[in-house]
């Protein structure tokens, strides 16, 4: 009588194991590098400020210069110094640093920023974020220092990472909900078992944070992938320009009048950036930050007529559709801006997970591969 075959078929779990393994082996290293650089970028502002404290901090005094006073001092200083380009936008002090930032541009590109002590009016020096170490880290994280092609690769890597993490969660999910056992690491076991337990435990503990990071990174890289399905439920707002100031031949609003108008009309908001009009028909563009905003510089963007202050655009959460809100959340979630310090700490720690998972995963794969070769060699020798 023939013996029934005990060989089982290729299951869905087998598929997930292969998917998890080969995606990790092919793009796991890139994912590890993105995680490591992302961990650093969670505190990029703090790192940049620490490394450039002489230009980015001031000593608090009783009187802070008004925006108009500071701008006049900057313009007078620029007339006697070799500044680069023309004044493009102004960032008033918004925190405890007490520093005005005057950004200059050549053509349509910002080329540098001059920092001014908001109390004394002293020019602290020129600051170029593009010359900092953290700018190089950011460029590597966004595009692997390879331009448009690199940006595509980072997007693909983020999408791949999402499936690596998701498949890992499905494989890890404990039977009968024995979660305590699933997080246990047998430290007194052999190296292979310790690495296997660590890979599962740390991956499951921090993987959800990295799933959010991978998903938002992929969405920012390829927004068109989501626009079509989301448009079935909600449309993104399309602005019909151009938005121009009505040149009446008069003088534009002074900065003090502009600030007063904005503070009265949009109470509760703090001006974080004022982009100056380049032409007679151009507009003032302002960014406002309110309590609870998820973007570092605020969620509100205003375009105002430079002569009358008339509102041409008020782009704020209250004006957004569901589709707008979905895409609006992607960057602050990805860049650890939305939920304050706890968000930054979580992303800084979770960013170390991909390198750990990659190293432990590759080590276990090589070790298992080596062990599987021994029986084959023994069988070959016996034959």
């Amino acid at each position: 009588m023939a013996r029934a075959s005990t060989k089982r078929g290729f299951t869905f779990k087998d598929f997930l194991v292969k998917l998890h393994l080969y995606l990790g082996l092919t793009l796991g290293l890139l994912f590890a590098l993105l995680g490591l650089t992302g961990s650093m970028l969670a505190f990029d502002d703090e790192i940049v400020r620490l490394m450039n404290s002489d230009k980015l901090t001031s000593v608090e005094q009783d009187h802070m210069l008004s925006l108009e006073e500071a701008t006049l001092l900057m313009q007078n200083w620029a007339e006697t110094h070799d500044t680069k380009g023309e004044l493009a936008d102004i960032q008033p002090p918004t925190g405890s640093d007490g520093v005005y930032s005057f950004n200059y541009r050549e053509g349509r590109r910002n080329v540098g920023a001059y920092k001014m002590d908001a109390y004394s009016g002293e020019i602290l020096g020129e600051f170029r974020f593009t010359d900092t170490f953290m700018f190089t880290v950011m460029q590597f994280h966004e595009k692997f220092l390879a331009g448009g092609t690199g940006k595509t690769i980072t997007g693909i890597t983020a999408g791949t990472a999402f499936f690596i993490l998701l498949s890992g969660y499905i494989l890890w999910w404990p039977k009968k909900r024995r979660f305590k056992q699933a997080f246990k690491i047998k430290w007194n076991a052999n190296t292979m078992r310790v690495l296997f337990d660590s890979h599962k435990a740390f991956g499951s503990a921090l993987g959800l944070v990295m799933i959010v990071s991978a998903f938002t990174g992929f969405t920012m890289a390829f927004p068109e992938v989501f626009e079509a399905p989301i448009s079935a439920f909600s449309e993104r707002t399309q602005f019909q320009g151009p938005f121009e100031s009505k040149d009446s031949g008069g003088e534009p609003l002074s900065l003090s009048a502009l600030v007063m108008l904005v503070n009265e009309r949009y109470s509760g908001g703090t001006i974080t950036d004022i982009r100056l009009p380049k032409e007679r028909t151009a507009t003032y563009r302002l960014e406002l930050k309110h309590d609870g905003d998820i973007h570092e510089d605020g969620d509100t963007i205003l375009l105002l007529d430079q002569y009358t202050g008339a509102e041409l655009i008020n782009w704020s959460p209250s004006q957004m559709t569901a589709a707008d809100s979905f895409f609006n959340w992607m960057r602050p979630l990805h860049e650890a801006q939305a939920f304050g310090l706890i968000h930054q700490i979580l992303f800084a720690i979770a960013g170390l997970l991909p390198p750990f998972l990659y190293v432990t995963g590759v080590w276990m794969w090589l070790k298992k591969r080596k062990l599987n070769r021994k029986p084959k060699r023994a069988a070959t020798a016996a034959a």
Side-chain angles (χ1 to χ4, degrees):
M1 183 175 178
R3 182 177 296 178
S5 175
T6 59
K7 186 176 181 181
R8 64 184 181 86
F10 189 76
T11 65
F12 179 65
K13 184 178 180 180
D14 295 328
F15 167 75
L16 286 179
V17 170
K18 296 293 185 183
L19 179 72
H20 189 79
L21 173 63
Y22 292 117
L23 287 180
L25 290 175
T26 52
L27 289 178
L29 178 58
L30 294 182
F31 180 34
L33 293 173
L34 289 181
L36 190 60
T37 52
S39 179
M40 298 170 65
L41 289 170
F43 285 95
D44 62 333
D45 286 345
E46 289 79 2
I47 294 172
V48 168
R49 190 172 288 112
L50 181 65
M51 296 176 69
N52 299 271
S53 58
D54 57 327
K55 296 178 182 177
L56 301 178
T57 56
S58 64
V59 179
E60 186 175 354
Q61 300 178 27
D62 294 333
H63 173 69
M64 178 180 286
L65 295 171
S66 69
L67 184 62
E68 194 137 33
E69 289 172 329
T71 304
L72 182 60
L73 285 173
M74 183 66 225
Q75 290 172 337
N76 290 338
W77 184 87
E79 289 177 359
T80 58
H81 293 77
D82 184 22
T83 56
K84 301 174 178 65
E86 61 177 333
L87 183 60
D89 62 286
I90 307 167
Q91 294 172 313
T94 55
S96 59
D97 54 5
V99 173
Y100 277 103
S101 181
F102 295 89
N103 302 318
Y104 279 72
R105 68 184 163 211
E106 290 179 353
R108 303 182 68 177
R109 178 173 171 266
N110 278 13
V111 293
Y114 291 90
K115 303 294 182 175
M116 174 189 288
D117 187 310
Y119 301 99
S120 67
E122 176 190 358
I123 303 299
L124 301 175
E126 182 184 5
F127 173 76
R128 286 173 170 262
F129 180 60
T130 54
D131 292 341
T132 66
F133 169 71
M134 291 307 296
F135 178 77
T136 303
V137 173
M138 184 182 72
Q139 290 293 297
F140 185 91
H141 185 80
E142 289 184 353
K143 55 189 75 171
F144 291 124
L145 304 177
T149 301
K151 188 174 182 180
T152 300
I153 295 172
T154 59
I156 293 171
T157 303
T160 303
F162 178 83
F163 286 105
I164 292 173
L165 294 163
L166 187 61
S167 60
Y169 260 109
I170 297 172
L171 292 169
W172 164 84
W173 196 263
K175 295 179 180 179
K176 299 181 181 180
R177 299 184 178 180
R178 294 176 179 174
F179 290 100
K180 186 176 180 180
Q181 188 70 20
F183 283 106
K184 188 176 180 180
I185 301 174
K186 296 182 178 179
W187 296 107
N188 58 346
N190 59 52
T191 304
M192 185 76 164
R193 183 55 189 262
V194 171
L195 288 178
F196 179 70
D197 287 349
S198 300
H199 189 90
K200 290 198 306 176
F202 289 115
S204 55
L206 295 170
L208 282 178
V209 179
M210 290 311 302
I211 281 179
V212 171
S213 180
F215 178 79
T216 52
F218 179 77
T219 304
M220 289 191 296
F222 303 110
E224 62 276 5
V225 172
F226 298 92
E227 284 177 346
I230 289 176
S231 64
F233 305 96
S234 176
E235 293 286 344
R236 295 187 74 176
T237 302
Q238 302 294 328
F239 292 104
Q240 301 297 325
F243 298 97
E244 297 181 337
S245 298
K246 295 180 180 179
D247 185 0
S248 59
E251 290 297 316
L253 287 172
S254 65
L255 287 173
S256 60
L258 176 70
V259 171
M260 186 179 298
L261 181 150
V262 170
N263 288 337
E264 289 178 356
R265 187 186 295 170
Y266 311 96
S267 60
T270 300
I271 299 173
T272 59
D273 186 84
I274 301 175
R275 186 174 299 173
L276 305 176
K278 289 179 62 177
E279 303 165 349
R280 297 283 298 180
T281 57
T283 64
Y284 279 116
R285 181 188 182 278
L286 297 93
E287 294 183 33
L288 297 182
K289 186 176 180 65
H290 297 81
D291 289 341
D293 281 359
I294 58 175
H295 286 83
E296 185 178 23
D297 293 326
D299 295 349
T300 301
I301 296 175
L302 302 172
L303 292 187
L304 303 180
D305 186 297
Q306 65 170 298
Y307 304 101
T308 65
E311 181 184 288
L312 303 177
I313 283 183
N314 178 358
W315 182 237
S316 60
S318 62
Q319 313 293 323
M320 295 180 185
T321 65
D324 294 329
S325 295
F326 172 80
F327 288 103
N328 187 54
W329 269 92
M330 293 299 104
R331 185 168 294 280
L333 277 176
H334 188 79
E335 296 182 355
Q337 299 177 13
F339 302 110
L341 182 61
I342 188 66
H343 194 167
Q344 291 177 279
I345 293 173
L346 268 177
F347 268 55
I349 295 173
L352 302 177
L353 179 65
F356 175 78
L357 294 180
Y358 179 71
V359 171
T360 55
V362 170
W363 194 95
M364 288 188 294
W365 174 72
L366 290 173
K367 187 73 173 177
K368 189 174 181 180
R369 198 173 176 212
K370 183 179 180 181
L371 291 173
N372 288 339
R373 282 179 176 174
K374 288 183 179 180
K376 292 180 181 179
R377 288 176 180 170
T380 303

